[in-house]
Amino acid sequence: MRELTYVARRTVEWREVPDPGLRSDQEAIVAPVAATPCDVDSSILAGHGFIEPPFALGHECVARVVETGADVTAVAPGDLVVVPWSINCGTCDRCRQGLTAHCASVPYMAMYGAPIGGSWGGLFSDLVRVPYADAMLVPLPAGLDPVAMASASDNWSLAWRLVAPHLRARPGARVLVVARGSIGLYVCDIARALGASDVLYVDPDPAHRALAEGFGAATAEAVEALEPARQGGFDIAVEATGRVDQLARTVKSLAPEGICESAGNHFRPGELPLLDMYLTGVTLRIARDNVRAHIPDALALAASGTVAPEKVVSDVIDWEDLPSALPEKHLKPVFVRAEG
Ligand SMILES: [Zn+2]
Ligand SMILES: [Zn+2]
């Protein structure tokens, strides 16, 4: 089979590797049918990652189950499933606490699309081995489009986690989103659907801002440019830029005892205004997403019809065009494979 491999800045290529096979009765083999780059893949492709190439890329997809081990009961061949970005067993203490990104049964940082905690391949591959099928795979609810939900593996479900629990605790909160890609746009959509009284989306890209306005958000080009009346007024802020200076500006826009969620991946160091944060009373949460625990919640919201993740999909591109099209600049391209 072929595995899309990141080989150098702005360069990916198919590499031929042996087909994966079941190694235990708990495993499944799946074939991605709709896969999309995570926002951090764009940074990797631009040469800003910290892992030396070559490695198999991709950790967001909806896949078709091809083969299951004898002990697998939650999914069957033919099912459409969401494949979470991180590898988790479902039975260790960490997994049972919902800390699925910290599973104790696999190496630290075991994930698809980056060989940090072992090599699990990438989801831009023709076939993928899923080591704990019942624990990891989530059937795609009927009626949801694999193209629209390709990002449920990570960015869509992460966006749910960044804002939904905080809006539940603070109904009608004002939400600031400082972002550069799909995560922030999903957050705007989800925040509006879950009753945020006001959403301000900050992004230098006019096309991104137009999408956010479609989700009912007010927009601004730069967080530096927020008028003073708006600063200091947000109960919830989400930063998804990968830049520490942007995170610093974001926390300065919080209301007293406000909460800031950061999507992380700050590959370069920087400083945070800790004294200002102390004086305001800021809770900053920056955490790798335990995505498997809330993929079902994020899918349920998508199935409710109150959100429109499909609007963030910028391009639908044939699977065979991955090597040429993935390094191009797109907001959220989804690569689809013809089945049959
Ligand atoms: Zn990701
Ligand atoms: Zn585990």
Side-chain angles (χ1 to χ4, degrees):
M1 69 145 188
R2 299 166 309 167
E3 174 172 89
L4 192 78
T5 305
Y6 170 63
V7 293
R9 186 171 177 273
R10 298 241 154 262
T11 311
V12 291
E13 65 185 29
W14 292 120
R15 289 203 174 168
E16 198 64 32
V17 296
D19 283 6
L22 299 176
R23 297 187 198 172
S24 87
D25 290 340
Q26 300 176 311
E27 302 197 348
I29 305 297
V30 303
V33 298
T36 186
C38 167
D39 289 359
V40 79
D41 289 335
S42 307
S43 300
I44 292 171
L45 285 162
H48 301 318
F50 60 90
I51 313 159
E52 282 301 307
F55 57 90
L57 200 61
H59 59 263
E60 295 196 349
C61 83
V62 168
R64 183 81 65 185
V65 178
V66 174
E67 187 182 3
T68 53
D71 293 346
V72 175
T73 58
V75 297
D79 288 355
L80 280 175
V81 291
V82 173
V83 184
W85 68 268
S86 68
I87 310 294
N88 78 285
C89 76
T91 53
C92 73
D93 286 349
R94 295 256 181 88
C95 282
R96 280 183 289 154
Q97 290 174 65
L99 305 178
T100 59
H102 304 269
C103 174
S105 298
V106 291
Y108 173 68
M109 284 291 293
M111 65 178 287
Y112 292 115
I116 312 172
S119 287
W120 306 89
L123 300 185
F124 293 124
S125 296
D126 290 335
L127 294 170
V128 175
R129 185 174 72 94
V130 180
Y132 305 99
D134 280 351
M136 291 175 61
L137 297 176
V138 183
L140 187 71
L144 284 182
D145 176 11
V147 171
M149 301 320 298
S151 198
S153 301
D154 184 358
N155 290 173
W156 168 258
S157 302
L158 164 65
W160 182 93
R161 177 61 185 85
L162 293 175
V163 74
H166 304 307
L167 271 168
R168 197 179 294 147
R170 302 176 188 215
R174 301 182 67 203
V175 178
L176 172 66
V177 184
V178 180
R180 291 289 184 275
S182 75
I183 297 168
L185 294 167
Y186 290 144
V187 169
C188 289
D189 190 12
I190 293 168
R192 266 298 182 206
L194 297 183
S197 62
D198 195 6
V199 179
L200 177 64
Y201 178 76
V202 179
D203 186 324
D205 188 310
H208 297 181
R209 294 199 304 274
L211 277 165
E213 285 165 11
F215 291 133
T219 60
E221 281 184 46
V223 71
E224 295 86 337
L226 298 188
E227 66 244 48
R230 298 205 73 132
Q231 283 200 346
F234 293 93
D235 311 297
I236 300 167
V238 173
E239 178 273 331
T241 66
R243 288 177 44 175
V244 181
D245 62 329
Q246 297 294 294
L247 176 58
R249 302 271 185 175
T250 304
V251 294
K252 281 188 167 187
S253 299
L254 283 169
E257 295 296 335
I259 183 159
C260 178
E261 285 269 7
S262 171
N265 290 303
H266 304 93
F267 295 134
R268 296 201 177 88
E271 286 184 17
L272 291 178
L274 292 174
L275 182 60
D276 287 335
M277 291 165 69
Y278 163 74
L279 294 172
T280 303
V282 165
T283 300
L284 171 61
R285 182 171 177 277
I286 175 165
R288 288 189 297 125
D289 191 30
N290 296 295
V291 73
R292 176 59 185 86
H294 46 262
I295 286 174
D297 293 315
L299 289 174
L301 179 63
S304 73
T306 58
V307 288
E310 69 277 5
K311 288 186 181 170
V312 177
V313 174
S314 57
D315 310 83
V316 179
I317 303 174
D318 190 90
W319 189 258
E320 299 304 316
D321 295 335
L322 264 165
S324 59
L326 185 66
E328 292 172 10
K329 191 165 164 45
H330 303 280
L331 168 58
K332 196 70 174 175
V334 177
F335 294 86
V336 295
R337 187 150 55 151
E339 295 187 272

